[in-house]
Amino acid sequence: AKGAEPDNQEISDLISAINQKINVLDFSKAANEAEARGSLQEALDLVNRALGISENDPTLKARAESLSARIEKNALDKAHREAEALAKRQAKQDFDNKFSALLKAAKNNEENRVFDAALLSYQKALEFDKDNEEIKASIERVKQLSKEDNERIDKLGADLAKANNLFSSENYDQAYTILRELINNPEQPADRILPKLIETCLKLERLDDAEGYTIRLRGIQPNSDELDYFQGTLDFKRGNFSKAGEPLNRVYSKNKGFRPDLPGMVWRLTFEKAKWFILLFALFFGSKAFVAGKESLARMKKSGVEGSVEKAMKSGDFPRAISLIESRLSEGDNFPTRRQMILTLADAYLRTGRNSDACTKANDILTKDPKNIVAQRILGEGLFQMGDKSPENVDKIYNLFKIDETRRDILSFLVNFYKEQQSESKNALEALHKQISFSPDDTDTLLHLANMYGKRENFNQQNLKIFERASKFDPERPEYVFGHAQCLQQMGKRSEAEEIILQGKKRWPNSGLFSSEPQQPARREPSSSVPVKSGALKTQTTMKMKEMAAAKEETQCVHCGAKNLPREYYCKSCGKPIK
């Protein structure tokens, strides 16, 4: 029609109206597809474009309003979901932060040995995660550590009380031994131990040791009165009066009774400042005053010699120290510090390789003072350096090891000696046990002990670990397995012992060790602290008969001849093996 009448407006209007409807339908169709895909905003845009062509179409208007409402609702729903997710994330973050903070606090307190606080933090953390096995294990661990720490604190209190009692009774050597063992343990509170240890060193004239411990105390209590007192006393004893005055006067001004010797030292310092004036003044008042002044000068001279000796020892000039001390001792007078000078001379001999001379001087002291720890140390060290293996001197070397059990070189010497001699003395057993405690991989010493106890049929709870470890190190030796079973039997663990015996029978069917069941635990003699020997290959009847026969006999010690009850191993008189 348009072709026939190109200028016909009516036809043109009809064509335009039809095109508009087609476009509206196309937009509506596209909007349907977009809505089906969930693209509501795209669908709304297409409907709005259709409304732009057909503005008054009520269907399009209604649809546009519906789509707008849905889009707005979805936006609100999305915002709500995001808000909920954000709140959950924030809550989880807060939870994680609190949980992490509790764990961190617990671990820090545990590392700092504040076990009660650590336990509380772990328990609170467990409330956040009730099924956390790691936290449960940590709680049990901290409980055990807390228990051990309380036991350590109780033992520390007992040890300090013992040291204080020894100090009060002037047994300074024994107090020093206890306090030094405590301070060498890093778990012990140094601030409680150091003051008494320094005071003990000063009493023993161990000035170098006192100085070292004073340096440690300065790092803990840099501004304490005790530090001033100890530092001033050290300088005073070394004759450095000008340096000693300031700290001692500072303590004296605060508390005149801080220590019993403080007033005397302060008076001496005052005297030193005015001594020349006093001596000159004394010259005008007769011979008695002059003699008193002369004696005072002699004392000061002696004090100067002792200070020179101390200085020489500290600087390592041992030959000069030896010369000064020998000259001082040759004067022959019985001055108060004579014993300390002899000990210092012995120490200087030891440091210059004169081990025999050092031992002689140390013996001189021990003759009059058998418990002198310093002399025991010097004597033992001299004998050790000389490699002396005589039995009586090995015992003195063993005493040296007891003074300082960190000396592995001494322990190695003792262990080798006891093995060579096949010694079964109390000292030998203690040294061998120390060796396997310090060196768990020392199989030679372990098997040596196992062979010794097996030969003696010494099966008890104390030796259980020896046989157990020996059977693991050398699984081809049935006697170790047998010993393990017998120890369990003596402890009353019959079922475990029977199981090991059964395994031994299967592995070594021809061995006589496993030919019978383990016996019931043997009755212990009421008069002996040594476990009754087990005889697994003997019957109960035979064993009982032997016990009845042995009860009528006494055993004589081959070392001292003393009589001992039957079935004893160590002599109750001399402590050595009876046989």
Side-chain angles (χ1 to χ4, degrees), residues 298-310:
R299 286 195 297 271
M300 287 187 285
K301 180 181 176 182
K302 293 175 183 178
S303 177
V305 171
E306 293 167 2
S308 298
V309 169
E310 182 73 23

Side-chain angles (χ1 to χ4, degrees), residues 30-83:
N32 291 339
E33 294 174 354
E35 185 176 1
R37 293 195 307 271
S39 300
L40 298 182
Q41 186 60 49
E42 182 182 353
L44 177 60
D45 292 340
L46 291 169
V47 171
N48 286 333
R49 293 181 66 180
L51 275 173
I53 299 171
S54 180
E55 297 179 356
N56 297 319
D57 188 326
T59 301
L60 292 176
K61 287 183 178 180
R63 189 174 184 187
E65 291 175 357
S66 175
L67 287 170
S68 295
R70 289 176 63 189
I71 290 171
E72 184 177 355
K73 182 177 181 303
N74 286 349
L76 291 173
D77 290 344
K78 182 181 179 181
H80 182 68
R81 287 195 302 273
E82 289 179 348

